[in-house]
Amino acid sequence: MLRVSNLIRASIEGGRERVLDGAIAIWNLTNRCNLSCLHCYSKATLESEDALDTNEIFKTMADMAQSGIKFIIFSGGEPLTRHDIFDIAARARELGIITYLSTNGLYVHKSNVEKIVAAFDYIGVSIDGREETHDHFRGLKGSFKLSMEAIKLLLQYSNRVGIRFTLTTQTLEDLPFIFELAETLNIPKVYISHLVYSGRGLENRAMDLSVEQRIEAVKFVLSKAFDYYETNKSIEVVTGNMEMDAISLFEEFSRRYPEHSSNMHDRLLKWGGNSAGRKLVNIDSRGNVKPDPFFPVTLGSIKEKPFGLIWNDPDNALLTALRTHPRVLEGKCSKCEYLSICNGGSRARAYAVHGTLNGDDPSCYLDQIFHKDIA
């Protein structure tokens, strides 16, 4: 993810940017969900049964802590459908792991909101636009109202709350609404995700943005981040699954603050772009370990081998390739001058379109921004 607001502030004021000390894990604890989202990489359903029991999860988390995992984002499906979710979060905290919750909000109620806020260091709630857009995208009429009730309730108890929004042709027109929502309710964080071709996101790949749409959307998102900084508004803007946004950020930052451009450039190089298999790992609902949640290839299963042996395997050729920085890639990435910053973007999108993990990210829009063949 690209912490846009934090990078702007740190590059100008000279403070420390938020750099991950260790690795972050996205753990899909369950594939059970009460919604049927059009972009869901897990293809979650309400009928799914949990494949991992509490003891298996506890054992793996202890191994993860020893292997340098500092953050766990608990996701799904809908993680709040697990009866042991609070026990799991508490055990993670005991191990010194920071806990994040990714939820649709429908299981957040007055009866459990204080437990949720106490259990998780941050709670992200998915909102896909205005009521009609959100309900259609999420596959349940009335889900927007329930999710909004959850956000308002969470904000009564904590400021460690944010909203998550996925850019598609079906949600694009509602992008300004998401920021209006954050401004109106004083929601501290807005996370804008680009579509990745995995699960239903692959089946519905046609709803991805065109290059022109993506460029305009990114310009808008970055403009909000700069406006918030320049007006001292405490809303953090983050983008995800499109590391090329970092180059767009650098270009706009250099235009506004040329005296600090070298500082921003150094920070982006240190950030290093796509971190799948390097500082990011996923465990899916069946216990498969993958470089990221969208990845088409698994590294192993925690049901068959301890997490540490999978994640720290020096002989795994895929991990070695992913951890080479910048990565050795094909297509327009092979000679791109920005590769050290973005690290080639999504390998899942490359595989979906090119049939190889070494291809260029087909959603890259940099050549259109600079009006040249970047290779």
Side-chain angles (χ1 to χ4, degrees):
M1 67 180 70
L2 181 68
R3 300 184 184 278
V4 177
S5 298
N6 182 259
L7 280 162
I8 293 171
R9 183 169 56 252
S11 297
I12 295 171
E13 299 176 5
R16 289 186 61 189
E17 72 273 24
R18 293 180 64 183
V19 177
L20 188 62
D21 177 22
I24 186 168
I26 300 174
W27 197 335
N28 303 95
L29 286 175
T30 180
N31 207 42
R32 186 170 56 253
C33 188
N34 52 339
L35 298 179
S36 300
C37 306
L38 293 177
H39 67 312
C40 179
Y41 59 82
S42 299
K43 300 177 74 170
T45 68
L46 196 57
E47 292 74 32
S48 295
E49 297 183 2
D50 295 337
L52 302 174
D53 63 34
T54 310
N55 289 332
E56 287 176 302
I57 292 170
F58 278 13
K59 182 179 179 180
T60 298
M61 283 197 300
D63 199 12
M64 294 168 78
Q66 292 180 350
S67 298
I69 303 301
K70 302 294 186 181
F71 294 75
I72 298 180
I73 299 175
F74 294 109
S75 187
E78 171 50 55
L80 290 177
T81 63
R82 284 198 66 117
H83 67 87
D84 55 358
I85 183 63
F86 296 111
D87 295 330
I88 293 170
R91 180 58 183 145
R93 285 271 187 81
E94 290 172 1
L95 292 165
I97 297 173
I98 295 172
T99 57
Y100 282 22
L101 176 69
S102 179
T103 177
N104 60 40
L106 271 63
Y107 287 94
V108 177
H109 305 294
K110 289 182 179 179
S111 60
N112 66 3
V113 64
E114 292 186 71
K115 288 183 68 176
I116 292 172
V117 167
F120 298 99
D121 295 286
Y122 172 78
I123 302 120
V125 182
S126 297
I127 298 291
D128 294 299
R130 296 177 177 85
E131 183 171 0
E132 183 178 354
T133 303
H134 179 95
D135 286 359
H136 171 72
F137 201 72
R138 294 272 153 181
L140 180 67
K141 188 173 179 58
S143 60
F144 175 82
K145 289 181 179 178
L146 294 173
S147 295
M148 288 306 305
E149 288 173 7
I151 291 169
K152 292 174 183 178
L153 185 59
L154 287 164
L155 287 170
Q156 292 178 26
Y157 293 88
S158 175
N159 64 352
R160 295 173 286 107
V161 179
I163 50 178
R164 301 168 59 88
F165 173 85
T166 300
L167 281 166
T168 70
T169 54
Q170 299 196 18
T171 61
L172 180 59
E173 290 186 2
D174 289 24
L175 178 61
F177 168 79
I178 293 298
F179 286 93
E180 291 167 10
L181 193 64
E183 294 163 12
T184 301
L185 297 180
N186 292 316
I187 298 172
K189 185 175 180 179
V190 177
Y191 177 89
I192 304 297
S193 176
H194 295 259
L195 182 70
V196 182
Y197 310 150
S198 181
R200 293 195 195 109
L202 176 58
E203 294 172 358
N204 296 309
R205 182 184 149 203
M207 67 182 180
D208 198 13
L209 303 184
S210 67
V211 171
E212 294 76 18
Q213 288 173 320
R214 194 178 309 281
I215 290 172
E216 290 306 309
V218 171
K219 284 181 180 178
F220 178 80
V221 172
L222 293 180
S223 72
K224 298 302 288 188
F226 280 106
D227 288 347
Y228 293 156
Y229 175 76
E230 291 163 0
T231 59
N232 201 30
K233 195 168 188 64
S234 57
I235 297 176
E236 182 182 1
V237 178
V238 179
T239 71
N241 303 315
M242 187 61 65
E243 288 77 14
M244 289 67 75
D245 288 351
I247 290 88
S248 294
L249 169 62
F250 175 70
E251 291 297 313
E252 180 60 20
F253 183 88
S254 298
R255 187 185 68 81
R256 293 180 184 234
Y257 302 101
E259 68 277 20
H260 298 295
S261 63
S262 61
N263 193 7
M264 171 64 84
H265 189 266
D266 290 345
R267 290 172 188 269
L268 290 174
L269 285 174
K270 185 178 179 181
W271 167 68
N274 185 275
S275 60
R278 185 168 56 98
K279 288 192 173 184
L280 176 65
V281 63
N282 169 248
I283 303 178
D284 71 16
S285 61
R286 297 178 297 279
N288 296 313
V289 180
K290 300 188 292 185
D292 71 31
F294 313 101
F295 222 82
V297 179
T298 63
L299 302 170
S301 171
I302 60 171
K303 285 183 169 292
E304 300 172 358
K305 187 185 294 187
F307 172 84
L309 293 181
I310 299 171
W311 184 238
N312 298 314
D313 183 359
D315 298 320
N316 188 299
L318 175 57
L319 284 177
T320 299
L322 290 173
R323 291 170 181 175
T324 299
H325 193 275
R327 293 173 181 153
V328 179
L329 302 176
E330 302 167 355
K332 60 185 179 182
C333 288
S334 62
K335 298 179 182 179
C336 179
E337 63 185 286
Y338 308 108
L339 185 60
S340 293
I341 290 179
C342 75
N343 208 22
S346 171
R347 299 299 86 215
R349 280 195 294 256
Y351 186 85
V353 173
H354 305 303
T356 173
L357 293 172
N358 296 323
D360 54 52
D361 185 334
S363 291
C364 177
Y365 55 88
L366 297 182
D367 48 353
Q368 294 298 313
I369 284 184
F370 299 110
H371 302 291
K372 65 178 181 178
D373 183 354
I374 61 174

